[in-house]
Amino acid sequence: MTDAVAHDVELDASGLNCPLPLLKAKMELNRMVSGAVLKVIATDAGSQRDFRTFVRLAGHTLLREEDEAGVYRYWLKKA
């Protein structure tokens, strides 16, 4: 599989349960510059709801989201 969206930083949160994928992504976004893209890989099904809500509340942009055989990928653009 090729990357759907170019990204600046990749975070592999595979194997972590809610809320750890979101917390780790938030910490990573705090270190990034505005406009940078973070790719997150997660295996927790609850991450779909978490990331959709998070970007809406925090003002970031969810550029793309993929679900392939229980592996979830998100591309978040920092506000």
Side-chain angles (χ1 to χ4, degrees):
M1 172 181 232
T2 60
D3 283 323
V5 177
H7 56 279
D8 301 293
V9 177
E10 183 172 315
L11 171 65
D12 188 352
S14 300
L16 300 177
N17 293 321
C18 181
L20 289 177
L22 181 60
L23 291 175
K24 288 189 173 284
K26 185 177 178 185
M27 289 172 47
E28 195 63 50
L29 283 166
N30 286 340
R31 290 190 283 268
M32 297 169 65
V33 298
S34 181
V37 176
L38 172 65
K39 176 183 176 182
V40 181
I41 302 166
T43 52
D44 180 28
S47 66
Q48 291 181 303
R49 177 192 65 248
D50 292 345
F51 278 100
R52 290 173 188 159
T53 302
F54 170 67
V55 296
R56 188 178 74 246
L57 295 174
H60 304 302
T61 303
L62 182 59
L63 297 173
R64 184 174 173 91
E65 148 179 16
E66 295 179 352
D67 172 6
E68 183 180 319
V71 176
Y72 306 93
R73 293 176 189 86
Y74 309 95
W75 286 263
L76 310 172
K77 184 175 182 179
K78 183 173 177 173

